[in-house]
Amino acid sequence: MLAYRHLFHAGNFADVFKHALLTRLLIALNAKDKPYCYLDTHAGIGRYDLAHEWAWKTREFENGIVRLWDRKDIPAGLAPYMDAVRSENPKGRLRFYPGSPLIALKLRRPGDRIVLTELGKTDCAELEAVAGGKRNVSVHLMDGYQALKAFLPPAERRGLVLLDSSFDRAREFARIAAALKQAHARWPTGIYAIWYPLMEPPAMRGFLHGVTATRARKILKLEFTVASGQATTMGGCGMLVVNPPWRFENDVKVMLDWLWRALSPGGEGGASIEWLVPE
Ligand SMILES: C[S@@+](CC[C@H](N)C(=O)[O-])C[C@H]1O[C@@H](n2cnc3c(N)ncnc32)[C@H](O)[C@@H]1O
């Protein structure tokens, strides 16, 4: 049984960072007429009730989505993300936070396909209730790393894989680098978005070395820090995007700078974008 439950963290600064980038990636895919496939390997439960006692235990959403909710100066790049969150809360009071599957469902076009995999039995049942039974959407109780073998390359030959591990097992960084290597060999032109927590420097160096050693090219590294990480809380996180859409780094720069100022009122940390591996 998996110990990790994302409800303790839903809507925190890391979710805002991840989901804001996810919306930009999906919008870029929507710019072309051709259908795509979105594979979410660690899909979670789809919708998070911030009034639930688990969310209240940590109240991480207070340093995340709550800081944006009443802002009247949301930059244009962030508006689709905020629209996705607002559409879950039509009465105007923040209560429900959409996970990555719901964000993809809101942004995809009718011909685009969504494949969701989740290894937690209870979580997968909740996900099925939220996202299942819809046209061109499939939900699978399955290991996300197996999903990369089972579903790639997609028939559409274009699309995005979100690899959003819960990092609740040892050696997850190595597992992700190995999974990217295999997936990239099966489907070199796909877009891969890989979320990760910032940990101690040797672990980060090992991870980035492992990713570089896959020999995949065009890997953009986006990092976001709001506090100095302590043993119990994560201070920052990042996302690697393999094969980002054209000009993605320019597209998200203003949005990330604005987000960092909004989510780090004390001015700790920062937002950075750089090529880990250029073209
Ligand atoms: C960070 S949460 C996912 C959040 C979701 N992607 C979102 O943005 O809304 C990670 C999820 O991965 C699930 N999980 C853990 N190990 C997994 C594995 N090997 N394959 C698939 N899912 C896994 C956990 O149960 C958890 O729901």
Side-chain angles (χ1 to χ4, degrees), residues 2 4 6 15 18-19 40-46 48 98-101 117-120 123 142-145 162 164-166 168-169 172:
L2 298 176
Y4 179 92
H6 193 64
D15 259 8
K18 174 199 319 175
H19 295 144
D40 198 328
T41 59
H42 296 64
I45 63 173
Y48 297 87
S100 48
T117 62
E118 165 58 51
L119 192 57
D123 284 6
M142 153 175 213
D143 181 301
Y145 299 105
L162 175 66
D164 182 22
S165 166
S166 37
D168 52 354
R169 291 182 297 179
E172 196 63 8

Side-chain angles (χ1 to χ4, degrees), residues 182-229:
Q182 283 194 350
H184 189 266
R186 300 177 76 88
W187 188 33
T189 55
I191 303 172
Y192 298 86
I194 303 170
W195 181 89
Y196 57 94
L198 288 180
M199 293 189 184
E200 64 284 0
M204 301 323 302
R205 279 197 295 276
F207 175 50
L208 297 179
H209 176 77
V211 169
T212 309
T214 63
R215 298 189 171 274
R217 309 292 305 172
K218 285 215 303 187
I219 308 181
L220 196 65
K221 175 165 76 77
L222 306 106
E223 288 189 345
F224 195 82
T225 310
V226 296
S228 44

Side-chain angles (χ1 to χ4, degrees), residues 119-133:
L119 192 57
K121 215 173 171 182
T122 317
D123 284 6
C124 193
E126 287 188 47
L127 178 64
E128 176 68 44
V130 167

